[in-house]
Amino acid sequence: MSYKINDVVTWIGKIHWDFGQVLGKKLSTRIGTTYNSFLIRDEKNVLVDTVWKPLGKEFVSELKKEINLKDIDYIVITHGEVDHSGGLPDIMEEIPETPIYCTAAAISSLKGHFHKDWNFIQVKTGDELVIGERKLVFYESKMLHWPDSMFVYMTKDNILFSTDVFGQNYAVDESLLFDDCVDEEELYQRALKVYVNIFAPFSPIVKKKIQEILSLNLDIKTICPSHGVTWRKKPEYIIDKYAQWSDNYTEEQITIVYDTMRGGTGKMAQHIAEGIKQINPNMQIKLCFLGDMDNTDIITEIFKSKAILIGSPTMNNGIFPSIAGLLELIKGSKLRNKKYAAFGCYGWSGEAVKQITEELKRYKLEVVNEGIREMWDPSQDAIIRCIEFGRKFATEID
């Protein structure tokens, strides 16, 4: 399966329609993905990246329909993770001496994955590889999102091979894998979800790298990321979005995320939201029941929000397990430019709200109050207190 990016570059990747999990069932895509590999034909032929390891043999079989493997002069690996490099063992079995261009850190990670000492050629920022009328210019992009990542810029056609940066988990027919062939809003949401769940912890590095790329005054006509669509119509759009997202991004939104054992904490969430709306009727409020939602979607809503309320019942004198896991994700995502508070129901001990508050403070997140807790199924008086808590919270975050 292949399609033309232009007269010189051919997409020769794989579409994984049923790919649903990134790091487990609660960190998923549910929408499939693509593994983008690109074949450049100039005086020299270059393969940029491969595919996920289980698809390696199938990938090589289809690559042979495009080119005699012995005619591949160079391989470029932008990032050593096996969804980019997984096809290498099957390729290198047939062309074992072919040079592999990558960063020093990528050499280490590739050797760690595959335990092979292939013909690695180390590159660093500013190094160039002349392939005929064009040259490939390498730019290290450390921690976007691995230490071994790099961008590759191809002159003449002005194409940026951007590894995971600017990508999306997006499985559509190969003829539609361009930004002008898919719904713009859906593309935005899928690109945002990748940013939040992959790059948000490194936002200061993203911001610096975007500024660095812009300062080079590269004429970028096309962006080819390692997953999802190629940006050929408006590559500047996604560069601008990354600049925004990496700079303490928020919207006029409050996310209320909760789990519940018997419905009490869920009832509290509804009435806290009611109180917020009474004070700020224009505020976008997202109620997220953790039991029904994927963590990647919830973290995306939290990323967009100016404030977050976290609700948990008390279980075994502690935080409900699913909420405890979410707190770890919030910590790891380093979403510090937001305001937080906690709420929850309990039966006889009620430690969860205090423990959530303490955890948020330990992560150095801004906690605006000590939260609210109510016993059992909230009574009418408790509902009134929840509404008032929501009203107070709305005033505290402005």
Side-chain angles (χ1 to χ4, degrees):
M1 197 178 332
S2 65
Y3 67 85
K4 294 286 188 182
I5 301 295
N6 63 14
D7 290 339
V8 174
V9 180
T10 302
W11 179 89
I12 186 65
K14 296 296 294 180
I15 300 173
H16 196 169
W17 295 98
D18 58 352
F19 177 75
Q21 296 182 18
V22 179
L23 295 170
K25 290 184 178 180
K26 293 294 283 183
L27 288 167
S28 69
T29 71
R30 301 194 308 272
I31 52 178
T33 194
T34 67
Y35 310 108
N36 296 343
S37 174
F38 301 96
L39 180 63
I40 304 168
R41 291 181 173 95
D42 201 327
E43 292 175 21
K44 300 292 186 180
N45 299 313
V46 184
L47 181 69
V48 179
D49 290 329
T50 67
V51 298
W52 189 42
K53 190 175 180 180
L55 302 177
K57 292 189 184 303
E58 185 179 345
F59 166 73
V60 171
S61 176
E62 293 185 4
L63 181 59
K64 287 177 179 178
K65 298 174 185 176
E66 286 290 324
I67 190 171
N68 185 325
L69 295 188
K70 291 182 170 55
D71 290 335
I72 296 175
D73 297 287
Y74 311 120
I75 297 171
V76 172
I77 296 295
T78 63
H79 170 27
E81 202 169 4
V82 292
D83 56 340
H84 308 259
S85 64
L88 275 178
D90 297 294
I91 292 174
M92 300 310 285
E93 278 185 12
E94 304 205 34
I95 48 172
E97 301 304 317
T98 305
I100 300 173
Y101 286 75
C102 57
T103 66
I107 293 173
S108 176
S109 61
L110 291 170
K111 287 182 177 180
H113 284 310
F114 305 117
H115 311 290
K116 299 289 186 180
D117 192 17
W118 292 313
N119 182 15
F120 293 110
I121 307 295
Q122 178 185 332
V123 296
K124 60 184 184 304
T125 294
D127 286 349
E128 299 177 353
L129 175 63
V130 177
I131 61 173
E133 295 182 29
R134 298 156 180 83
K135 61 184 178 182
L136 304 180
V137 187
F138 303 104
Y139 298 98
E140 293 174 88
S141 53
K142 295 179 181 178
M143 298 316 301
L144 299 181
H145 61 117
W146 274 24
D148 64 4
S149 300
M150 70 173 177
F151 296 158
V152 182
Y153 180 72
M154 187 172 78
T155 62
K156 189 174 181 180
D157 302 272
N158 310 110
I159 295 177
L160 183 69
F161 299 94
S162 62
T163 193
D164 282 319
V165 180
F166 308 133
Q168 331 88 45
N169 288 308
Y170 206 165
V172 294
D173 184 81
E174 67 271 16
S175 64
L176 301 177
L177 279 171
F178 294 99
D179 59 330
D180 53 338
C181 294
V182 295
D183 180 78
E184 187 172 310
E185 178 59 26
E186 185 176 22
L187 177 57
Y188 170 85
Q189 294 298 336
R190 294 186 179 191
L192 174 63
K193 186 172 178 179
V194 166
Y195 181 87
V196 174
N197 287 278
I198 301 295
F199 295 105
F202 313 110
S203 282
I205 303 173
V206 174
K207 182 178 178 180
K208 183 177 179 180
K209 181 56 66 173
I210 293 296
Q211 292 170 345
E212 178 185 325
I213 291 294
L214 293 175
S215 72
L216 294 170
N217 294 315
L218 297 176
D219 183 13
I220 300 173
K221 300 292 189 188
T222 305
I223 297 175
C224 294
S226 294
H227 301 285
V229 306
T230 289
W231 301 89
R232 67 179 179 185
K233 182 182 179 183
K234 295 194 297 183
E236 69 281 358
Y237 170 86
I238 192 61
I239 295 174
D240 181 61
K241 289 303 178 186
Y242 266 61
Q244 293 177 33
W245 296 336
S246 64
D247 192 19
N248 293 321
Y249 182 82
T250 58
E251 299 177 10
E252 284 296 302
Q253 176 174 315
I254 295 172
T255 292
I256 304 175
V257 54
Y258 66 95
D259 210 337
T260 189
M261 294 174 67
R262 295 291 186 266
T265 302
K267 185 183 291 186
M268 290 183 71
Q270 296 283 345
H271 292 292
I272 290 170
E274 180 183 343
I276 295 170
K277 279 291 189 182
Q278 288 178 7
I279 297 297
N280 192 342
N282 296 320
M283 180 68 70
Q284 176 79 2
I285 299 177
K286 289 292 181 75
L287 279 168
C288 298
F289 173 40
L290 191 54
D292 286 343
M293 291 185 66
D294 189 277
N295 282 338
T296 56
D297 294 320
I298 290 173
I299 289 293
T300 302
E301 296 301 335
I302 290 173
F303 174 82
K304 291 158 54 180
S305 299
K306 64 188 297 184
I308 298 93
L309 286 154
I310 300 174
S312 172
T314 296
M315 179 177 176
N316 297 330
N317 306 108
I319 303 169
F320 201 60
S322 60
I323 294 295
L326 181 69
L327 288 172
E328 277 297 310
L329 286 175
I330 292 171
K331 178 184 74 170
S333 299
K334 300 179 181 176
L335 304 180
R336 293 195 172 92
N337 60 320
K338 292 138 190 337
K339 298 180 180 181
Y340 293 83
F343 66 95
C345 277
Y346 68 103
W348 57 87
S349 58
E351 294 91 341
V353 170
K354 182 179 179 181
Q355 289 175 12
I356 291 170
T357 302
E358 289 172 348
E359 283 292 285
L360 293 170
K361 290 178 179 178
R362 188 166 66 86
Y363 300 159
K364 303 190 185 308
L365 302 174
E366 184 179 353
V367 179
V368 299
N369 61 51
E370 297 304 308
I372 181 174
R373 60 180 193 162
E374 296 292 346
M375 290 189 73
W376 305 113
D377 185 47
S379 65
Q380 190 58 43
D381 286 343
I383 288 171
I384 292 171
R385 287 191 293 270
C386 288
I387 294 171
E388 184 56 35
F389 177 82
R391 290 171 58 87
K392 183 171 180 288
F393 184 77
T395 61
E396 290 174 320
I397 64 170
D398 286 333

